[in-house]
Amino acid sequence: MRKKVSVIGAGMVGGTCAHLLTEGGHYDVVLLDVIEGLAEGKALDIAQSLPVIGSDARLKGTSTYDDVAGSDIVVITSGVARRPGMSREDLVLTNMNVVKSVCESVARVAPDCIIIMVTNPLDAMVQLALRVTRFLRQRIIGQSGVLDSARLKAFIAAELNVSVLSVSAQILGGHGNTMVALPRLCTVGGVPLTELLPKSRIDDLVTRAVNGGAEIVSLLKTGSAYYAPAAAAVRMVEAIALDRKEVLPCAVMLQGEYRIDDTVVGVPVKLGAAGVEAIIELDLTDDELAALQRSAQAVRETVSVMGM
Ligand code: NAD
């Protein structure tokens, strides 16, 4: 039987997620938005593309949670996006109310689902969702590191003129300015990146990746990135829906791992049918570990703005 995947928020990220999820024809997809007609309109448009590409996916646009009932996976993208000059943290008070009400509804109609959070500020929203739904930490996972690492991989591949498939790179930590790139562990065709590029050039690429979201916001002027974020969220859906047991950097609640307690930050996890099936503890240097812990502290500060 096909997995049922619901996407909450039919804006730029949510609509693109729904589009990507229907392409393979493997899922029953529901797209929901509070704006009457928005999700229905996008769903009709996407559904009419499916005969062209030969996909038998089923897709429904809606503004009622009855249609979300029984979902296996729910991707939450509802909330406002950044505009030029804003940090992700600036969104916290607005998106807190949206995510709280969405999570209450999702937990009511789909109590067994796995949630993939996309709404920013990402780590704080995962923490809020855990509080509201009371789901186990294995079942609420934030999309951050798949995107941040993809940005770094794209820049490395372009710099060295190699396929993106040959590049391995990881960005951990909170999905904000304190995210932690690990150039020491980047490889290209198995060769350490540190042997292929001078440190100054690696630093430039890392800085561009860390500021990758802001670069796009300043170019778009009216919203934030959505093609790559949606692709990243869908990659996580696939890892869970297909029980891939894929190791991906994701935002999860840490309870002692990396000497971080009760805080959501991005670390490598094994994603499979049960959600987070393992948290991978990399052997970090003292500096890397300290950077990850500083990033966790920044997340705690954003969470405290919500009064949690
Ligand atoms: P958008 O404005 O295009 O879409 C947001 C949608 O949410 C709108 O259609 C709006 O009507 C809907 N919405 C608002 N309140 C709702 C509610 N209570 N229930 C259902 N729907 C509701 O924004 P976007 O570009 O799609 O971005 C969405 C969110 O994703 C933002 O918070 C953005 O910062 C975040 N984002 C995160 C990442 C990441 O890597 N984690 C990347 C890009 C964007």
Side-chain angles (χ1 to χ4, degrees), residues 175-260:
H175 186 53
N177 295 337
T178 60
M179 66 180 78
V180 183
L182 299 173
R184 184 176 65 87
L185 301 181
C186 291
T187 57
V188 179
V191 178
L193 181 64
T194 47
E195 291 177 16
L196 299 171
L197 286 175
K199 181 177 180 311
S200 59
R201 192 62 199 133
I202 294 174
D203 288 346
D204 289 345
L205 300 181
V206 165
T207 302
R208 191 169 178 205
V210 170
N211 297 321
E215 183 178 359
I216 292 170
V217 168
S218 72
L219 289 165
L220 296 182
K221 297 181 183 67
T222 54
S224 58
Y226 52 96
Y227 290 115
V234 169
R235 175 84 175 257
M236 293 167 65
V237 169
E238 303 247 330
I240 296 164
L242 305 180
D243 193 21
R244 282 215 172 110
K245 307 199 186 298
E246 185 173 12
V247 176
L248 293 170
C250 299
V252 293
M253 172 62 84
L254 298 187
Q255 287 167 343
E257 297 87 358
Y258 293 95
R259 285 190 257 146
I260 294 169

Side-chain angles (χ1 to χ4, degrees), residues 105-156:
S105 302
V106 169
R108 180 170 49 78
V109 299
D112 300 321
C113 76
I114 292 173
I115 291 177
I116 295 176
M117 181 65 68
V118 179
T119 304
N120 276 318
L122 191 272
D123 309 270
M125 291 302 122
V126 174
Q127 214 148 319
L128 175 64
L130 283 161
R131 167 79 67 96
V132 172
T133 60
R134 298 180 180 277
F135 285 7
L136 293 175
R137 66 173 179 159
Q138 288 82 354
R139 288 173 48 212
I140 306 191
I141 311 149
Q143 188 303 111
S144 52
V146 178
L147 170 66
D148 300 328
S149 306
R151 286 179 169 147
L152 182 55
K153 286 181 198 174
F155 295 142
I156 293 170

Side-chain angles (χ1 to χ4, degrees), residues 26-42:
H26 307 306
Y27 309 111
D28 290 343
V29 181
V30 173
L31 181 62
L32 180 146
D33 203 283
V34 274
I35 298 176
E36 286 285 330
L38 179 65
E40 291 92 323
K42 287 201 178 185

